[in-house]
Amino acid sequence: MTTSRNNPSIAYSITIRAQYPNRAGMLGVITSAIGEVEGDIGAIDTVSSSRTTMTRDITVNARNVSHGEQIEDRVRKVPGVRVLSVSDPVFLRHLGGKIEVNSRSPVTTRNDMSIVYTPGVGRVSMAIYHDPAALWTLTGKGNTVAVVTDGTAVLGLGDIGPGGAMPVMEGKAVLFKELAGVDAYPICLDTKDADEIVEIVKAISPGFGGVNLEDISAPRCFYVEQRLKDELDIPIFHDDQHGTAVVVLAGLINAVKINGKKMEDLKVVVNGVGASGIACAKILMTAGCFNIIGCDTQGIVYRGRDNRGNKAKDEFAEISNPDNIEGDLAKAMQGADVFLGLSGPNTVTPAMVKDMNDEPIVFAMANPDPEIWPEEAQGLARVMATGRSDYPNQINNALCFPGIFRGALDVRAREINEEMKLAAAQAIAAGVPNSDLNEDFIIPSIFDKGVVRRVAREVAAAAQRTGVARRSRRRVTSYSPRAGV
């Protein structure tokens, strides 16, 4: 696959501050030069102007870092142009971090100090001591999530450590706050010991209403999540697994409405039997899909295969591939109705899609480059989705985790169970009305503010139906030590 498919993106934009003679035609010369090297101009802003000199900031989207350098070099070579500076908007947005702590209780007088801190705060501490449930109301616990990682599986970057993971966790915290009003804090742990991770999270858990595990490599992530679910009474949610699974199911619910097929009749191929792939397969099974085949770099996962000590794959083999077929990905895709890609770029060919059943559904979610590009699947796949924002039908976890935690926190859920995940998927799918549903619109936008509200409402209701909610979905606005919470 050529890099020409990697279109310029704001993620690799640069802002060039260029000074040049203030005469007609100079700006056109500069923009033409940028166009020659396939830069995508996003904005042109005037910094200063005089009779003789013009200074402008020119923001240009590039394909990657080296393409940005090529654009800069081309502008420098334009006669009469002086490049004063080149900045990277992505790095500028991260200066000082992306989150901060704001006080909900201003302290401007001596009385304020006495109420929010000593001596008044002692009364509140003792109220919690006598009634531990009051912690949910008298502190921020009920609206606070820990975003926990060890930095071993960050995006598509791999094991880059807790420091490298920090900007991603901050970004997650931003989405929690902006989309759902949930306060989230990055907890980046400098350890790869699964038991140590569990003990640390348990030790800090009193201050949090839920834990979002993030970017922890498989198979350790399964162990960490299960132990925390067993040993804590707050929601534990590994978003790489379950957030992906929920949004995939939501997209599939709508995709089968388009081709008229039923969940129970689908043959589904999952390429990538890691944390996300296994979670996607399991939620589809819960939703009624029975014929699911997993593939990895060794080919089809089947009962009796040597998985080199990977217990997660051994267990997956026992519940998938009902006919126990063997072979490679191409063999698995023959006659398949659905392809779910959670693997790597360019692993699927047009010929493989042709070998699928009529009107196939292809979710190629490897990022940034999918298993097969939409252009290659055009005319072959009835419905196509990717993990990218520059194509229709982006499968984005941000459709799930803010609302699912909002709903869980609102009812003080003890866990996030399968019924709550299914409710979230149904709520996301409902974000696309049947009247608007089409091949290029099977999943709502993350900026659709109604998504979080619907997901939170349905998740909270599911928590109540299944008995894991501590209270009804309402907001407590006052507290009486005598009445309790």
Side-chain angles (χ1 to χ4, degrees), residues 259-308:
N259 68 8
K261 297 183 181 181
K262 297 179 179 179
M263 288 284 187
E264 59 266 27
D265 297 330
L266 298 176
K267 175 185 176 182
V268 180
V269 174
V270 179
N271 192 39
V273 189
S276 300
I278 292 175
C280 286
K282 286 183 175 180
I283 201 170
L284 293 187
M285 291 173 187
T286 304
C289 293
F290 304 112
N291 188 4
I292 299 180
I293 299 172
C295 296
D296 60 12
T297 55
Q298 298 180 66
I300 296 172
V301 177
Y302 58 89
R303 292 179 292 284
R305 195 186 82 161
D306 181 6
N307 293 310
R308 303 171 185 175

Side-chain angles (χ1 to χ4, degrees), residues 66-391:
S66 61
H67 186 215
E69 293 171 349
Q70 182 185 7
I71 293 167
E72 175 191 344
D73 183 63
R74 182 66 186 87
V75 172
R76 289 184 183 277
K77 290 179 179 178
V78 175
V81 172
R82 181 185 174 200
V83 174
L84 301 181
S85 65
V86 179
S87 59
D88 186 326
V90 172
F91 278 80
L92 289 176
R93 188 68 69 89
H94 285 75
L95 288 177
K98 300 190 290 291
I99 62 174
E100 64 181 6
V101 176
N102 289 310
S103 172
R104 296 182 63 205
S105 300
V107 179
T108 58
T109 68
R110 186 183 301 275
N111 286 344
D112 292 338
M113 176 69 79
S114 297
I115 290 172
V116 304
Y117 196 50
T118 184
V121 73
R123 294 179 55 213
V124 181
S125 295
M126 290 308 298
I128 294 171
Y129 174 75
H130 291 297
D131 178 11
L135 184 64
W136 288 90
T137 298
L138 296 178
T139 72
K141 178 183 177 76
N143 195 53
T144 305
V145 169
V147 183
V148 178
T149 188
D150 62 359
T152 55
V154 180
L155 303 177
L157 306 173
D159 184 353
I160 61 172
M166 186 71 171
V168 181
M169 302 308 115
E170 284 192 350
K172 193 97 175 189
V174 169
L175 294 180
F176 265 115
K177 188 65 174 181
E178 293 295 319
L179 298 178
V182 173
D183 295 317
Y185 297 92
I187 308 294
C188 299
L189 304 179
D190 191 12
T191 177
K192 297 180 184 180
D193 185 294
D195 290 310
E196 190 172 9
I197 293 171
V198 170
E199 294 306 318
I200 292 171
V201 174
K202 286 172 60 180
I204 65 172
S205 64
F208 296 96
V211 176
N212 185 119
L213 300 174
E214 189 79 14
D215 295 344
I216 299 174
S217 62
R220 294 155 54 260
C221 60
F222 302 117
Y223 174 81
V224 170
E225 182 187 36
Q226 192 57 56
R227 270 202 60 193
L228 288 173
K229 288 174 70 173
D230 291 342
E231 299 176 32
L232 291 177
D233 65 347
I234 57 176
I236 309 297
F237 189 77
H238 185 206
D239 187 49
D240 300 311
Q241 292 184 63
H242 309 300
T244 303
V246 165
V247 182
V248 163
L249 176 57
L252 190 57
I253 287 170
N254 283 338
V256 295
K257 292 178 183 177
I258 291 173
N259 68 8
K261 297 183 181 181
K262 297 179 179 179
M263 288 284 187
E264 59 266 27
D265 297 330
L266 298 176
K267 175 185 176 182
V268 180
V269 174
V270 179
N271 192 39
V273 189
S276 300
I278 292 175
C280 286
K282 286 183 175 180
I283 201 170
L284 293 187
M285 291 173 187
T286 304
C289 293
F290 304 112
N291 188 4
I292 299 180
I293 299 172
C295 296
D296 60 12
T297 55
Q298 298 180 66
I300 296 172
V301 177
Y302 58 89
R303 292 179 292 284
R305 195 186 82 161
D306 181 6
N307 293 310
R308 303 171 185 175
N310 190 318
K311 293 182 179 179
K313 289 185 181 181
D314 290 340
E315 293 171 359
F316 179 74
E318 294 299 322
I319 61 173
S320 64
N321 193 359
D323 296 325
N324 209 38
I325 66 171
E326 302 179 25
D328 58 10
L329 176 60
K331 173 70 177 296
M333 289 183 67
Q334 292 174 2
D337 299 286
V338 179
F339 170 81
L340 301 182
L342 298 121
S343 51
N346 311 316
T347 52
V348 173
T349 66
M352 292 181 188
V353 180
K354 286 181 182 179
D355 280 344
M356 295 177 71
N357 205 350
D358 294 337
E359 300 190 329
I361 297 166
V362 176
F363 286 11
M365 296 174 285
N367 240 330
D369 295 347
E371 285 81 0
I372 182 170
W373 291 87
E375 294 89 344
E376 291 186 307
Q378 189 171 4
L380 301 175
R382 178 67 189 274
V383 179
M384 178 80 194
T386 70
R388 295 175 62 109
S389 59
D390 53 353
Y391 287 99

